[in-house]
Amino acid sequence: MGRDLGLDGVVDHFTLSGDEASWLRNKTGATRLGFAVQLKFLTWRGRFPKMRLDLPPDAVEHVAKQVGVAASELGFYDFSSRAAKRHRSELRDLTGWHECSLTDQVKLISQLVDVIWHDERREEQVRAELLRQMRMDLIEPPTAAQVDAIIRSALHQADERAVAEVAERLARKEDCPRRLDALVFTDPTADSAQDDDTETVDGDGAEDEDDVESVLSDIKTHPGNVSLNSLLDEISKLKQVRAVGVPASVFAGIGVQVINAWRARASAASPGHLRRFDAPVRRVLLVPCRSSVSGRPPTPWWSC
């Protein structure tokens, strides 16, 4: 069986209220005890016990004393039987708890995105928030595979929402999107750059790959030995960075975890790969900084 909860835990989670006790009037013996422990386990863990081993022994003893049935009687209660399933259906009607439907899953994903989109990407924290939300809405957790699918979908939609928010901020800064595109395109325009991505990378356009990558590649080049020429080159790179004109507030309200994930994703991509992204995604990935200083424009990853 499960571990003992201790006196405080047992009293807090496995004490029947007056209304709950009244639901047991027409039940006796193992059925009465099985019904009662399923009820209290549901209100404690937000789900039904799958087997007797899920139940803390001291909790069973505590419930057994309240319902006037020996704790040993629980050995005659089959949690997988038709009677136990019927009891679970009855308890759902009585308590308001319900199984997770497709509609619930869509709602839960939307609620998760609202909570996590700007600063949370840790799966374990998203899972904890999901379980908290299901408890609040009296929803029994679905299968482990369905829970994982909900979390993956929420993380994906959260990132899309964060990208859209930052991209919109960049778009409000006059000429900033064009200057960001200029880092990976030789002749960037408002919309034609992304439309011509394939032509630029494949076919005849491949011979111009070095020219296309020259701006970003040059900025990322190691300065080499210290000399007057290398110093002048680095000054020129700094001017190119500042010329992009990224707004100081572009990452306002966006968490470090999100920015770091974007930076890692962009750092692993070549200029050719960056050109293949949709324009909003590409521009956001070109901006993430190593650190943020309040009131100052962010320093892009490719200039550090």
Side-chain angles (χ1 to χ4, degrees):
M1 299 182 77
R3 294 182 179 179
D4 285 342
L5 281 182
L7 181 59
D8 290 342
V10 164
V11 171
D12 288 344
H13 302 296
F14 283 86
T15 299
L16 293 163
S17 68
D19 287 339
E20 291 170 341
S22 69
W23 299 340
L24 306 172
R25 281 196 296 262
N26 62 340
K27 296 175 175 61
T28 60
T31 297
R32 182 179 178 88
L33 180 56
F35 186 91
V37 295
Q38 284 209 92
L39 164 62
K40 297 313 297 182
F41 192 90
L42 172 65
T43 58
W44 173 44
R45 297 295 300 275
R47 64 175 179 84
F48 289 106
K50 297 178 181 178
M51 59 186 76
R52 187 184 178 191
L53 292 177
D54 288 343
L55 298 161
D58 56 351
V60 174
E61 290 284 353
H62 183 65
V63 174
K65 290 177 182 178
Q66 296 175 77
V67 301
V69 177
S72 59
E73 287 290 307
L74 192 62
F76 300 101
Y77 187 84
D78 184 357
F79 286 88
S80 62
S81 66
R82 291 183 178 179
K85 293 177 181 178
R86 187 171 63 253
H87 290 163
R88 289 194 283 273
S89 178
E90 184 179 345
L91 285 169
R92 290 185 183 107
D93 292 338
L94 290 168
T95 63
W97 283 83
H98 62 281
E99 295 177 286
C100 188
S101 66
L102 288 176
T103 300
D104 288 324
Q105 292 181 40
V106 172
K107 178 183 176 182
L108 287 166
I109 291 171
S110 178
Q111 291 172 330
L112 276 177
V113 172
D114 287 341
V115 173
I116 71 173
W117 74 270
H118 52 86
D119 66 353
E120 184 58 73
R121 293 297 182 272
R122 293 170 296 177
E123 184 174 320
E124 64 275 13
Q125 296 299 322
V126 177
R127 187 182 301 275
E129 175 60 28
L130 172 61
L131 294 176
R132 187 193 69 80
Q133 191 61 56
M134 286 193 289
R135 177 175 286 277
M136 285 184 57
D137 294 341
L138 302 182
I139 299 172
E140 297 169 45
T143 65
Q146 289 173 316
V147 169
D148 289 342
I150 290 172
I151 292 172
R152 286 195 302 270
S153 181
L155 286 170
H156 177 71
Q157 292 184 35
D159 199 61
E160 287 187 330
R161 182 164 168 181
V163 166
E165 173 65 25
V166 174
E168 183 179 347
R169 296 175 186 177
L170 289 170
R172 291 198 291 265
K173 180 68 173 180
E174 184 178 358
D175 222 25
C176 183
R178 186 194 63 79
R179 287 193 291 268
L180 284 168
D181 284 340
L183 295 168
V184 290
F185 290 102
T186 53
D187 185 24
T189 57
D191 295 316
S192 62
Q194 61 181 341
D195 295 337
D196 296 337
D197 282 357
T198 304
E199 296 178 7
T200 303
V201 176
D202 300 327
D204 296 336
E207 63 184 10
D208 296 326
E209 185 76 12
D210 291 339
D211 291 334
V212 173
E213 296 185 6
S214 61
V215 176
L216 183 56
S217 296
D218 181 58
I219 291 175
K220 295 173 66 177
T221 301
H222 191 276
N225 296 327
V226 178
S227 67
L228 176 59
N229 287 336
S230 65
L231 178 61
L232 293 175
D233 286 343
E234 293 308 298
I235 291 174
S236 175
K237 293 178 185 180
L238 181 59
K239 289 180 178 178
Q240 287 177 297
V241 172
R242 290 177 175 174
V244 175
V246 177
S249 60
V250 68
F251 288 133
I254 305 297
V256 173
Q257 290 182 50
V258 179
I259 297 172
N260 286 345
W262 287 340
R263 189 179 73 240
R265 181 181 175 190
S267 296
S270 68
H273 290 148
L274 289 169
R275 288 197 301 276
R276 296 187 181 100
F277 289 119
D278 290 339
V281 177
R282 179 177 62 249
R283 292 161 187 165
V284 170
L285 291 181
L286 281 168
V287 176
C289 55
R290 290 190 180 277
S291 60
S292 297
V293 180
S294 180
R296 298 182 182 178
T299 303
W301 58 267
W302 37 262
S303 68
C304 299

